[in-house]
Amino acid sequence: MQRQDPELPVSARRVIVGVNNTGASTVVADERAVPSTRLPNGILLQEVWQQRDIPAMPDDRPEPDWTLGPAAPTEGAVVRILTVPAANGDGPAEPDLHTDPSLHVITMLSGELIVLLEDGEVTLGVGDSVVLRDSMHDLRNVQPRPATFVYTSFPLTKRE
């Protein structure tokens, strides 16, 4: 396996497996270029998978026109790769603590990320994960190289 330069964002490849006309598992799509967006703050967001409805159906496919931007879905789920640019040396801006009624699972692929909370913070390195459940948070990269992570988000509903 060829390692990618840690200074460059991860280039997402999406392989979708389904079944052929005889019912055997097979690759139905193999795409190197997944939909991506560069946000105003410099974060690169790559859409690996979008699920409009849960539970998923065997023939569901991503919908190219269904673009959520950085917000978590109010229905369905998303799987994304995000790359936060390297710190620029100006020092961290004021925290932008925010939340939404979602369950987020973040798993680090490269670099280091600080998760700021209302009461403390946690630093994540390669292979570390954090689960945020409708929690006030902000994400920071204070390192001199990009931080890349897989971000999965599901909407939360209150149990009655």
Side-chain angles (χ1 to χ4, degrees):
M1 182 169 121
Q2 183 179 7
R3 292 185 50 93
Q4 181 161 328
D5 181 338
E7 296 298 318
L8 299 174
V10 170
S11 177
R13 175 181 175 208
R14 177 173 52 199
V15 178
I16 301 173
V17 175
V19 293
N20 65 18
N21 56 5
T22 66
S25 59
T26 189
V27 172
V28 296
D30 188 342
E31 305 159 320
R32 175 54 71 186
V34 301
S36 64
T37 304
R38 177 85 53 188
L39 304 177
N41 59 6
I43 293 175
L44 177 64
L45 183 151
Q46 297 176 83
E47 296 279 357
V48 176
W49 188 259
Q50 334 160 327
Q51 187 64 47
R52 190 177 288 267
D53 298 305
I54 296 177
M57 303 300 290
D59 58 349
D60 285 347
R61 298 284 175 94
E63 297 178 35
D65 297 333
W66 190 47
T67 303
L68 297 171
T74 56
E75 296 178 5
V78 294
V79 179
R80 299 172 167 155
I81 295 175
L82 277 80
T83 300
V84 180
N88 62 12
D90 292 341
E94 286 296 314
D96 179 22
L97 293 173
H98 59 280
T99 189
D100 51 63
S102 299
L103 174 92
H104 305 298
V105 180
I106 292 172
T107 301
M108 295 300 297
L109 297 176
S110 68
E112 187 175 282
L113 196 65
I114 297 172
V115 181
L116 299 172
L117 306 168
E118 290 175 291
D119 182 18
E121 64 183 48
V122 63
T123 301
L124 303 175
V126 175
D128 294 343
S129 296
V130 64
V131 178
L132 299 164
R133 292 179 282 198
D134 197 13
S135 308
M136 293 294 286
H137 67 280
D138 191 15
L139 305 176
R140 293 286 175 89
N141 178 11
V142 297
Q143 299 299 314
R145 62 188 188 117
T148 300
F149 56 93
V150 174
Y151 163 96
T152 304
S153 182
F154 307 91
L156 288 175
T157 58
K158 306 282 188 220
R159 290 197 171 100
E160 296 182 24

